[in-house]
């Protein structure tokens, strides 16, 4: 991803405090984190379709870099699309697995993992500082039920996960792509739901949340129309924010500005309802 290019290796702890950002000139072709996430895991193996995400360039602190170097071999997953993964092997147990697509800096993910240690969370993002921060939080708080995926969640779902392998899917505050010409980039579309439905177990919950009301309306429309999902709300519509989803700093800032946050909780319908 582009925020993983042309940026330095981690500095030594002797010269940088954990919260410092750093710059360092690397030799051409030298990897940013030799033992960490790859810049473009899937490479050119898959089609160059329209992406729902936009990689961002930003500095990685020394603490985040240290976590990436130390913990990626243990808790990281490069989404290369070249193998079907065994989730039991990835986590070292057979507990339920929830996929989280897009986790920002990882604070909410770490809070949910701590609150439900019997559920494994596979958290996927392309933002390198966030990957390092979540690994750091997991390490600091002893959260062995978190794994961090680097790359395109569509490739993960389509190429690397088995049917009926997920016990839940979370998509919190995805990019709303507010301009009309960019609506095709929004993640929650009928095609995505059809793919997600094949990887979710019947009865598993797809939980979306957004503070962009037009996107919330689109989510509600496409989820309601999709035969693979059914609304958990008896009367239809949006759901109250469940207690397990923490109020994030980003969400709080939006609420302070008068934004309305909508949660949608839809259940994976039985296979007999599939088209």
């Amino acid at each position: 991803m582009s925020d993983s290019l042309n940026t330095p290796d981690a500095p030594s702890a002797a010269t940088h405090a954990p919260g410092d950002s750093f710059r360092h000139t690397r030799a051409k072709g030298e990897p940013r984190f030799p033992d960490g996430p790859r810049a473009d895991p899937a490479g050119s193996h898959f089609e160059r379709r329209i992406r729902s995400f936009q990689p961002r360039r930003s500095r990685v602190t020394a603490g985040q870099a240290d976590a990436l170097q130390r913990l990626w071999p243990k808790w990281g997953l490069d989404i290369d699309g070249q193998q079907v993964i065994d989730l039991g092997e990835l986590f070292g147990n057979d507990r339920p697995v929830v996929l989280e697509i897009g986790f920002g800096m990882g604070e909410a993910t770490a809070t949910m993992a701590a609150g439900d240690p019997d559920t494994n969370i596979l958290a996927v993002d392309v933002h390198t500082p966030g990957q390092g921060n979540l690994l750091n939080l997991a390490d600091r708080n002893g959260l062995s039920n978190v794994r961090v995926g680097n790359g395109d969640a569509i490739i993960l779902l389509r190429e690397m996960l088995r049917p009926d392998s997920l016990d839940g899917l979370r998509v919190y505050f995805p990019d709303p792509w507010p301009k009309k010409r960019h609506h095709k980039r929004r993640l929650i579309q009928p095609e995505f739901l059809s793919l997600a439905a094949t990887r979710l177990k019947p009865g598993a919950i797809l939980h979306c949340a957004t503070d962009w009301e037009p996107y919330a309306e689109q989510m509600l429309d496409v989820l309601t129309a999709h035969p693979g999902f059914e609304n958990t709300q008896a009367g239809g519509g949006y759901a109250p924010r469940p207690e397990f989803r923490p109020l994030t700093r980003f969400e709080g800032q939006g609420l302070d500005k008068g934004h309305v946050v909508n949660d949608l909780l839809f259940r994976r319908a039985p296979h007999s309802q599939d088209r």
Side-chain angles (χ1 to χ4, degrees):
M1 298 303 153
S2 62
D3 69 330
S4 300
L5 300 176
N6 302 319
T7 313
D9 286 336
S12 67
T15 57
H16 292 267
D20 289 347
S21 295
F22 60 89
R23 287 184 178 275
H24 171 70
T25 301
R26 290 183 293 118
K28 184 177 181 180
E30 182 183 353
R32 183 182 191 185
F33 303 107
D35 297 318
R38 303 212 305 268
D40 186 8
S44 60
H45 296 295
F46 299 96
E47 76 284 0
R48 294 297 178 183
R49 57 182 171 75
I50 295 171
R51 299 289 193 263
S52 63
F53 57 87
Q54 183 172 344
R56 297 166 289 162
R57 290 180 181 271
S58 56
R59 292 186 179 183
V60 177
T61 69
Q64 293 162 0
D66 175 68
L68 289 166
Q69 284 290 106
R70 289 188 301 107
L71 300 170
W72 192 261
K74 179 182 178 184
W75 287 341
L77 171 69
D78 275 314
I79 299 170
D80 58 11
Q82 300 301 300
Q83 58 181 330
V84 176
I85 59 176
D86 184 320
L87 292 174
E89 183 178 326
L90 180 68
F91 285 94
N93 57 62
D94 59 358
R95 293 170 183 163
V97 178
V98 171
L99 173 63
E100 182 177 358
I101 299 177
F103 56 80
M105 294 305 291
E107 293 97 339
T109 306
T111 299
M112 290 186 289
D116 186 8
D118 291 329
T119 295
N120 296 322
I121 300 177
L122 174 53
V124 175
D125 210 308
V126 296
H127 188 48
T128 312
Q131 293 167 355
N133 199 58
L134 178 53
L135 287 170
N136 204 15
L137 289 170
D139 186 40
R140 187 190 313 160
N141 295 290
L143 305 177
S144 60
N145 58 331
V146 174
R147 298 293 182 270
V148 179
N150 167 50
D152 189 339
I154 299 295
I155 293 176
L156 174 69
L157 283 164
R158 193 181 65 198
E159 308 291 341
M160 300 179 69
L161 292 179
R162 293 188 173 97
D164 298 347
S165 58
L166 295 174
D167 296 88
L169 174 58
R170 297 167 180 167
V171 184
Y172 297 157
F173 304 98
D175 194 324
W177 296 103
K179 295 180 180 179
K180 187 174 182 179
R181 69 177 183 272
H182 291 156
H183 286 184
K184 61 189 176 183
R185 295 183 177 273
R186 289 177 173 175
L187 179 63
I188 306 302
Q189 307 273 7
E191 297 80 6
F192 170 78
L193 295 178
S194 294
L195 173 60
T198 66
R199 301 304 186 250
L200 288 165
K201 297 175 182 176
I205 297 296
L206 167 59
H207 183 189
C208 302
T210 180
D211 68 334
W212 193 259
E213 289 187 86
Y215 195 9
E217 292 168 1
Q218 177 190 327
M219 289 180 179
L220 183 59
D221 287 345
V222 298
L223 277 162
T224 300
H226 199 284
F229 293 92
E230 44 193 34
N231 201 332
T232 61
Q233 303 303 297
Y238 303 114
R241 178 176 67 87
E243 291 185 2
F244 68 80
R245 184 177 75 75
L247 185 70
T248 66
R249 180 173 51 188
F250 168 81
E251 184 178 357
Q253 291 171 348
L255 292 171
D256 289 342
K257 296 175 182 177
H259 295 186
V260 175
V261 175
N262 286 298
D263 284 75
L264 302 94
L265 280 86
F266 277 70
R267 183 180 297 107
R268 171 71 174 98
H271 290 302
S272 59
Q273 296 186 19
D274 292 351
R275 283 178 180 158

